[in-house]
Amino acid sequence: MRYLPQTAADRAAMLADIGVKTADDLYKDVPAGMLLTKPVNLPSHQGEYTVERTISALAAQNLHADGAPFFLGAGCYNHHIPSTVDYIIQRSEFLTAYTPYQPEIAQGTLMYLFEFQSYICNLTGMDVANASMYDGATSVAEAVLMAKRVTKRDNVTVVDGLHPQYLDVLKAYLTHSEGTITIGDKADDTTACVVVQTPNFYGEVVDLKPLRALCDKTGALLVVAINEIVSLGMLPAPKEADIVAGEAQSIGVPMSFGGPHLGFFACKEGYIRQMPGRLCGETLDADGKRGYVLTLSTREQHIRREKATSNICTNQGLCALAFTVHLSLLGEEGFKQLARLNHEAACDLADALAKVPGVKVLNKTFFNEFTVELPKNSADVVEALADIGIIGGLALDGNKLLVTATELTTPEHIAAFTAALKEVL
Amino acid sequence: MANIPAHLRYTKDHEWIELQSDGTAVVGITEYAQEALGDLVFIELPKTGAGLSVGDEFAVVESVKAASEVYAPISGKVTEVNEDLSDNPAAINESPYDDGWMIKMTVADKKEIETGTMSADEYAGYLDKLN
Amino acid sequence: MESAKVHHMTPEQPAFMAKVPNNKALMLDEKLLFEQSTKGRMGVDLPALKGTKSRTGLAERAKVGLPEVSEPQVVRHFVRLSQKNYSIDGGLFPLGSCTMKHNPRLNEKMARLPGFARIHPMQPDSTVQGALALMHDLSHWLTTLTGLPGITLTPAAGTHGELTGMMVIRKAHEAAGKPRKIVLVPDSAHGTNPATAVTCGYTTYPIPTNEKGHVDMAAFTKAVDELGEDIAAFMLTNPSTCGLFEPDIKNIADKLHSIGAWFYCDGANFNAIVGKVRPGDLGVDVMQFNLHKTFSTPHGGGGPGCGPVVVSQKLIPYLPVPRVEKKGNTYSVVTKDATSIGRIKGFNGQFGMMVRALTYMLSHGADGLQKVAEDAVINANYILAHLKDTYHVPFKSTCMHECLLTDKRQKETGVTTMDIAKSLIEHGYHPMTVYFPLVVQGAMLIEPTETETKETLDEFIATMKKIAWDAANGNADALHANPVSAPARRLDEVRAARQPVLRWQTA
């Protein structure tokens, strides 16, 4: 077996040194009758090309974004990833390293985490960012938990337009704590935080100033959720927020059927000790050279145990690297240009769809996705489009359809989409 | 051998307490405690005015690898906290009985000091047993 | 101050000296990209903008604050950073309870097929039948290997799986009338266990470890008898964090079930028993996997992981959504379920990790996985057999897939577990897990995994003996100073925590 180096002779010699006859002797503490004498009922081992054939056959059954005009977003976006990104993240020293608990031999990981945290701070206008969360949904849920710790209040207000899956995860995470979740834009002195997504789930860009004023008046924290991080190349940094949490998959990370993606978490400086997740910080080594370590770890489960700020342990390290490499390639001007390209493609899509008879664009504002009203049930339309090889967006309730354009959307894709719509409507 | 000033009283959780002439008390952690924790990096202190009962957690001291609660040795109200510790937690390592004091508090019941805490000799004996 | 003295003794340094980088052969100094930025450089070529009028309703952002560098600079930067990292591809990584085994490249290739990497989680089910089939197949493998019939694949990592499992347990208790109050946790448990229990609204009650490193059955029985139906569950890692199989596990399960409590088994150490023992047979009700441990998905310097959870029959109704369902030959995603705990992560979980794990399982097969466990256990015992006369062994027994040593015998020389770990770095190894489990002073937990050769283990054993020999023969100071040859010396963690610098900022 190709992954197992020990030969029969090796095993025999080693068992002799250990002082037992068989490997099963080492399982002496397993209760009688519980040690399996033969392999479980699953297929036996296979060579590389056989496995490759089996797995590839499953992949071949899926309609992927390179094979279809693609207008689906809703928190997971079809962006280009430069070749450099995948080359870097597949380097053994990054791919097969552990969490950097031994900083002397993990400066590579620690340095990019420091750069990652710096990038997230600059993008969001916040003071501190952690070294990543599982995804946007769990990051927003952790933000709310943190707001509850900071304010010692229980109730949560969620402004309509938060990604419905984020709301579901938030509900699950709050199942075992006091307080209510209210949808709306009201707050009072029992409100721990107001959660708002921008651009929101329907694509509308939200002005944060009135919500900031509401939070100032009531003492609630403002949690801003962002699930299309490319929007920050065009929209102002959400400096009104106390916590900015969301999804950064758009930069460097493939859609991969929903994961692994990249949650990010940033906040104002005063809340550092209430933050969940890992933090990388700068320091000096014994020679006085600059170096990096995981720091403030007394917040974390391996030290605080039941008093930890979160139970998170492993996070999304390699995805944070992919993000950092991609954003470094883009740089200041490239990132802003990418955001603009997305917006221009969405404007083109909106103009083209508005011309399809019976289709109405509902948004007043948008970045790279927006909602349209169709003359027919949108779920049926999405199915019909899929049958002719077009991924036509996300069916919302009734006749509404959420559509997205990115830098990968071409005029030909838009033309194919509008032509197909005319056919199925 | 740890430094255990004779004029202070001590708890099993390694806090020290000093009764002052004005009837209030000063509280901190002992040299043994700071040594066990190592270099302190962060101190979380209570607010002035907070009411404490014996055994209440009133502060958290953190080193790089450990966090430890500090408990009220007696009941009373916090009258002053050592704000300097926020910027300089090392004061507890360097001077646990002087610059490293943590809070001043009222003494609700003097008997709690006599019955609930140890003399320097008793604390020294207690540490011997621990080691 | 030092350098001022040196200057006094030697001729004045020419100005160019300050520009010489601090390089040593293959160890190359590297600045942050922020410090390499030059206005006007870019690492991408994007199409020209058309100048469409903005419809965002807000003023366009002027400054983001990103560095400006070209593609070759980016490549060199990250390649240089990579050279400062230790990795399993590069050498032995005997980190206990972390299962740092070989990560096959075929897994990576499969996860990158466009049919997997380039599909969206909200596409119509009809367009992703292959992906759903893969999730279904993986579920079948994991339930078969554990003998537990219910499964969710969505948790993002092992600890997230723990949280999910405990939420399922709480939901089941609530459905039966009351949530109960207490979760029993051994004092040797991983810190995530108590953190998870508290997150689910429980208080924890510690169960001590006995002198053999096992659950103290007298204490356990007493706790169950006294706390009775206040106990919601027992969270036990098996094989334990001491590297041992719990001999009383069946009795523990029976006792818990007798009071209607659930048995949660932390599956972090499943590599020792995969294909050899089915947790379901032992009476376990819930177990999470760490696919990046047992099933070889790369750890990636701290994730992404993937933490599927398997459960016993009665807990199936409470599993989170989404779930994959098969009817006839068609797969669909179930997103609504009235009895479920709900959704604990966006979309379908860490799908890319599922592709890698199934690829690995198909490669090994049922027969190979059994060998994985056996070889992992043989390798750990081989190290134990050869080091037990050099280092103190707290629990006298053969071990499972990891062996536990301590620094007790080195204590009088002043050499500690930390020094031994840092000396391993100097000798070209990643250290073992140190100071864990907390119940053993100066613990060193060594997990070689099954993918190391006997020769590699022999070299590691010799190195461990050399470090002990150095300690015993007056070289303690050298060990305290280690590592000296690594990309960095020991780092000042106190400084990092006292004055946190968590981002780059211009001076």
Side-chain angles (χ1 to χ4, degrees), chain A residues 64-338:
Chain A
H64 62 80
D66 293 335
F70 200 91
F71 300 93
L72 184 53
C76 173
Y77 298 93
N78 177 32
H79 291 288
H80 178 251
I81 301 172
S83 317
T84 301
V85 174
D86 202 35
Y87 157 72
I88 295 290
I89 71 166
Q90 283 213 67
R91 281 189 69 90
S92 296
E93 302 89 337
F94 289 134
L95 184 74
T96 76
Y98 192 72
T99 303
Y101 287 137
Q102 297 289 343
E104 297 88 349
I105 46 173
Q107 285 299 300
T109 298
L110 288 159
M111 248 175 112
Y112 81 66
L113 290 178
F114 188 77
E115 291 182 318
F116 171 79
Q117 291 173 184
S118 304
Y119 284 177
I120 293 292
C121 286
N122 292 356
L123 256 53
T124 57
M126 293 289 104
D127 301 318
V128 280
N130 73 13
S132 80
M133 306 293 286
Y134 299 138
D135 68 359
T138 55
S139 186
V140 169
E142 291 275 7
V144 171
L145 291 173
M146 183 175 118
K148 293 178 72 160
R149 288 194 296 275
V150 168
T151 59
K152 300 193 168 69
R153 297 178 182 180
D154 292 329
N155 295 335
V156 179
T157 294
V158 175
V159 178
D160 183 39
L162 179 66
H163 194 297
Q165 293 195 356
Y166 288 29
L167 184 61
D168 286 347
V169 172
L170 179 60
K171 283 178 185 162
Y173 267 60
L174 293 189
T175 311
H176 307 305
S177 61
E178 298 290 315
T180 56
I181 302 175
T182 312
I183 310 293
D185 53 7
K186 302 252 185 314
D188 58 33
D189 61 6
T190 68
T191 310
C193 61
V194 176
V195 183
V196 61
Q197 180 178 324
T198 183
N200 73 15
F201 182 66
Y202 311 104
E204 206 76 49
V205 179
V206 180
D207 183 5
L208 300 172
K209 289 190 189 72
L211 294 169
R212 179 69 260 169
L214 176 69
C215 287
D216 286 341
K217 207 174 83 189
T218 58
L221 300 193
L222 182 58
V223 174
V224 172
I226 291 180
N227 70 13
E228 172 50 299
I229 201 161
V230 173
S231 68
L232 291 177
M234 203 167 159
L235 302 177
K239 287 187 177 149
E240 293 87 352
D242 295 292
I243 307 171
V244 183
E247 177 60 63
Q249 169 267 331
S250 284
I251 301 293
V253 182
M255 295 187 287
S256 282
F257 204 40
H261 288 173
L262 174 61
F264 70 90
F265 190 104
C267 65
K268 297 265 171 68
E269 182 144 28
Y271 308 132
I272 289 184
R273 290 189 176 268
Q274 293 295 337
M275 284 176 84
R278 294 193 179 120
L279 289 167
C280 169
E282 189 180 294
T283 187
L284 299 174
D285 77 358
D287 288 339
K289 250 174 58 181
R290 182 172 70 174
Y292 300 86
V293 290
L294 292 180
T295 189
L296 304 181
S297 42
T298 42
R299 299 164 298 108
E300 292 182 68
Q301 46 71 25
H302 62 275
I303 294 174
R304 287 318 288 277
R305 297 171 79 85
E306 53 276 277
K307 290 192 173 166
T309 54
S310 162
N311 83 333
I312 192 167
C313 182
T314 291
N315 50 16
Q316 304 289 106
L318 203 69
C319 301
L321 174 62
F323 173 93
T324 307
V325 176
H326 190 179
L327 200 59
S328 302
L329 289 165
L330 288 163
E332 177 75 15
E333 296 308 321
F335 183 58
K336 286 190 286 192
Q337 194 175 345
L338 178 69

Side-chain angles (χ1 to χ4, degrees), chain A residues 342-404:
Chain A
N342 272 261
H343 186 55
E344 290 189 347
C347 289
D348 289 348
L349 179 64
D351 292 343
L353 288 176
K355 284 184 197 137
V356 177
V359 176
K360 196 177 153 211
V361 177
L362 298 179
N363 287 51
K364 287 197 199 73
T365 61
F366 60 84
F367 170 63
N368 70 350
E369 65 189 324
F370 53 87
T371 310
V372 295
E373 177 98 39
L374 303 176
K376 278 172 73 169
N377 179 277
S378 55
D380 297 341
V381 172
V382 167
E383 285 296 337
L385 288 168
D387 287 344
I388 47 177
I390 292 174
I391 301 297
L394 183 70
L396 305 179
D397 289 345
N399 294 356
K400 293 196 179 86
L401 181 71
L402 181 66
V403 291
T404 308

Side-chain angles (χ1 to χ4, degrees), chain C residues 159-405:
Chain C
T159 51
H160 202 222
E162 255 181 68
L163 178 63
T164 306
M166 287 308 295
M167 285 170 78
V168 166
I169 283 175
R170 187 174 171 119
K171 186 93 179 176
H173 280 306
E174 283 170 356
K178 55 177 183 180
R180 303 195 174 195
K181 295 175 190 157
I182 298 164
V183 172
L184 307 180
V185 180
D187 57 3
S188 61
H190 196 269
T192 56
N193 295 163
T196 300
V198 169
T199 307
C200 290
Y202 288 115
T203 54
T204 58
Y205 185 94
I207 301 295
T209 304
N210 70 17
E211 72 290 346
K212 289 179 173 167
H214 300 140
V215 170
D216 182 331
M217 282 306 282
F220 169 75
T221 308
K222 188 161 168 275
V224 172
D225 291 343
E226 278 174 14
L227 303 169
E229 293 193 358
D230 277 347
I231 300 173
F234 186 25
M235 293 182 88
L236 179 70
T237 305
N238 183 58
S240 73
T241 55
C242 298
L244 307 171
F245 194 97
E246 286 295 344
D248 288 314
I249 191 157
K250 195 80 184 60
N251 299 333
I252 290 171
D254 292 344
K255 187 90 185 156
L256 288 168
H257 293 155
S258 74
I259 54 158
W262 301 101
F263 189 8
Y264 183 99
C265 179
D266 185 322
N269 292 334
F270 192 55
N271 206 50
I273 58 171
V274 58
K276 296 290 290 180
V277 180
R278 282 182 303 217
D281 296 345
L282 303 170
V284 168
D285 294 297
V286 187
M287 189 187 100
Q288 103 284 351
F289 296 92
N290 302 62
L291 295 189
H292 54 280
K293 294 180 181 177
T294 315
F295 298 109
S296 85
T297 73
H299 202 286
C306 185
V309 177
V310 283
V311 300
S312 53
Q313 192 70 39
K314 285 184 183 158
L315 291 173
I316 291 177
Y318 312 107
L319 285 170
V321 290
R323 293 202 286 269
V324 176
E325 215 171 64
K326 186 181 187 187
K327 278 190 187 136
N329 286 322
T330 308
Y331 300 90
S332 59
V333 181
V334 179
T335 55
K336 291 215 164 33
D337 180 344
T339 58
S340 160
I341 60 164
R343 179 182 280 280
I344 48 95
K345 189 186 176 305
F347 306 127
N348 302 320
Q350 313 262 46
F351 176 77
M353 299 295 126
M354 301 173 201
V355 178
R356 290 169 174 89
L358 186 65
T359 303
Y360 175 80
M361 289 186 195
L362 291 182
S363 298
H364 264 309
D367 53 336
L369 288 173
Q370 202 167 42
K371 276 266 173 288
V372 162
E374 287 174 8
D375 283 1
V377 170
I378 292 172
N379 282 1
N381 278 287
Y382 183 69
I383 291 176
L384 179 63
H386 285 277
L387 289 181
K388 66 173 189 240
D389 296 331
T390 308
Y391 290 93
H392 168 246
V393 179
F395 306 119
K396 312 281 178 263
S397 164
T398 56
C399 61
M400 288 271 90
H401 67 312
E402 54 192 354
C403 63
L404 185 57
L405 309 174

Side-chain angles (χ1 to χ4, degrees), chain C residues 55-130:
Chain C
R55 297 183 208 175
T56 66
L58 294 175
E60 207 163 322
R61 187 169 187 167
K63 188 169 185 297
V64 181
L66 297 173
E68 297 182 60
V69 287
S70 62
E71 181 179 301
Q73 285 180 287
V74 171
V75 170
R76 184 164 295 168
H77 175 67
F78 288 102
V79 167
R80 285 186 173 198
L81 293 196
S82 77
Q83 288 164 343
K84 299 177 193 297
N85 267 6
Y86 194 92
S87 66
I88 179 67
D89 276 358
L92 178 68
F93 216 124
L95 206 54
S97 277
C98 298
T99 313
M100 292 296 283
K101 60 167 71 177
H102 172 59
N103 303 149
R105 288 287 164 158
L106 175 64
N107 304 353
E108 296 302 309
K109 186 178 176 186
M110 294 298 97
R112 283 169 172 78
L113 292 169
F116 292 139
R118 305 272 295 124
I119 55 174
H120 189 290
M122 292 165 123
Q123 282 181 220
D125 289 350
S126 61
T127 65
V128 289
Q129 286 295 299

Side-chain angles (χ1 to χ4, degrees), chain B residues 74-96:
Chain B
I74 56 166
S75 307
K77 209 159 115 183
V78 179
T79 56
E80 195 181 338
V81 300
N82 185 356
E83 303 286 354
D84 293 348
L85 295 178
S86 309
D87 292 331
N88 183 26
I92 291 183
N93 294 116
E94 288 151 12
S95 170

